[in-house]
């Protein structure tokens, strides 16, 4: 889905960024095949009418960051230090691939959302939402990415105002498959 036209002639456009990976076709590690392993919504533009698609007035931008265990600036493109789980499924270019089948997952997490409005010829930020994550390991097995907090910041020209954050807490329960 990259374009929606509603009954009133309003147009919404969706822009994506794809993630690629490789695997060894037919188990032959010297014959890696590239494929699209995941896709991320990059931005949404809306506010245009049919016939004037160059004049979108609003935009939503999605900030994606790698799902690293450190969740800070040391986080690099997997499989680097502090890489997320599933790094054994990533086959970088110019390496021997041991995976004999494609796998599908995202290496990035949603770190923020920014809404913008077109003012003159430039995009001006209206609101931003920052997502704070942590890795939880309640059962001592594989750590799971957990959303801790959403912080909304409103912008009015050059002035900003932080709203009260939304905090998330949880309780670990046995997985049905493990019970």
């Amino acid at each position: 889905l990259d374009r929606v036209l509603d009954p009133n002639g309003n147009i919404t456009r969706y822009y994506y960024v794809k993630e690629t990976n490789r695997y060894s076709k037919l188990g032959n590690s010297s014959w890696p095949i590239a494929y699209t392993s995941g896709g991320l919504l990059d931005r949404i533009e809306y506010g245009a009418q049919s016939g004037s698609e160059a004049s979108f007035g609003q935009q939503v931008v999605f900030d994606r960051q790698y799902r690293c265990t450190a969740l800070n600036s040391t986080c690099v493109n997997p499989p680097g230090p502090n890489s997320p789980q599933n790094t054994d499924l990533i086959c970088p270019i110019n390496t021997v691939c041991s995976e004999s089948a494609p796998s599908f997952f995202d290496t990035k997490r949603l770190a923020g959302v920014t809404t913008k409005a077109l003012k003159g010829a430039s995009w001006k930020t209206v609101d931003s939402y920052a997502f704070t994550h942590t890795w939880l390991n309640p059962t001592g097995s594989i750590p799971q990415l957990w959303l801790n907090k959403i912080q909304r910041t409103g912008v009015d020209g050059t002035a900003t105002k932080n709203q009260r954050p939304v905090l998330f807490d949880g309780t670990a329960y046995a997985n049905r498959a493990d019970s």
Side-chain angles (χ1 to χ4, degrees), residues 20-107:
T20 58
N21 198 3
R22 301 175 330 131
Y23 73 98
S24 298
K25 186 173 183 179
L26 303 174
N28 183 347
S29 61
S30 62
W31 193 10
I33 301 296
Y35 66 98
T36 300
S37 58
L40 307 168
L41 187 57
D42 184 52
R43 74 182 188 278
I44 301 169
E45 293 180 352
Y46 61 100
Q49 289 284 308
S50 181
S52 62
E53 290 191 45
S55 61
F56 288 101
Q58 291 83 31
Q59 187 179 69
V60 179
V61 180
F62 299 91
D63 176 26
R64 302 288 183 159
Q65 295 178 3
Y66 287 107
R67 301 176 52 155
C68 298
T69 54
L71 296 177
N72 61 27
S73 61
T74 65
C75 187
V76 297
N77 186 0
N82 298 317
S83 290
Q85 65 248 31
N86 298 334
T87 55
D88 58 325
L89 301 176
I90 297 172
C91 181
I93 293 175
N94 299 323
T95 62
V96 175
C97 294
S98 60
E99 291 301 313
S100 59
S103 57
F104 302 92
F105 59 93
D106 291 326
T107 60

Side-chain angles (χ1 to χ4, degrees), residues 3-23:
R3 182 179 183 270
V4 174
L5 174 64
D6 74 14
N8 296 319
N10 300 308
I11 298 171
T12 302
R13 283 219 178 257
Y14 298 88
Y15 298 87
Y16 299 89
V17 175
K18 70 179 179 177
E19 291 189 344
T20 58
N21 198 3
R22 301 175 330 131
Y23 73 98

Side-chain angles (χ1 to χ4, degrees), residues 128 151-154 160-165:
S128 66
Q151 176 66 60
R152 177 181 175 223
T153 302
T160 62
K161 170 102 173 144
N162 285 336
Q163 302 296 312
R164 181 175 290 146

Side-chain angles (χ1 to χ4, degrees), residues 98-132:
S98 60
E99 291 301 313
S100 59
S103 57
F104 302 92
F105 59 93
D106 291 326
T107 60
K108 294 184 177 181
R109 62 184 171 87
L110 183 61
V113 176
T114 303
T115 61
K116 299 180 178 187
L118 190 60
K119 186 172 183 180
S122 61
W123 291 102
K124 302 294 180 186
T125 298
V126 176
D127 278 314
S128 66
Y129 299 83
F131 302 128
T132 303

